Amino acid sequence: MMVNQKLMQLLSFGFISFCFCFGLGIGIVIRFGQLQPSNAATTAEPEMLPFMIPAPTSSPDDSVFTLRP
């Protein structure tokens, strides 16, 4: 009975330690795994990715925010 209780405590501690280290590792990857912006000047236009939605452009027909005298 005593061995079973010690084994359960060891497994519990091991599981909690694993979760803590795994979460810490995920946080480090998220924090430092991102690409840092470069200060180098670029002459090429940025490439549009296929999943990006372009920003809406206003047209002269849009009179939602225009005031009429």
Side-chain angles (χ1 to χ4, degrees):
M1 182 74 179
M2 186 63 113
V3 174
N4 194 14
Q5 185 179 8
K6 292 286 186 183
L7 182 62
M8 289 303 294
Q9 287 178 349
L10 181 64
L11 288 175
S12 299
F13 180 73
F15 179 73
I16 292 171
S17 299
F18 171 77
C19 290
F20 177 76
C21 292
F22 186 73
L24 192 64
I26 295 265
I28 289 172
V29 167
I30 289 172
R31 171 89 176 167
F32 297 111
Q34 297 173 349
L35 294 175
Q36 299 297 323
S38 172
N39 290 334
T42 58
T43 57
E45 289 292 322
E47 182 181 338
M48 292 295 290
L49 298 175
F51 54 84
M52 292 181 64
I53 300 171
T57 57
S58 61
S59 67
D61 297 332
D62 294 339
S63 62
V64 176
F65 295 109
T66 57
L67 298 174
R68 295 185 183 187

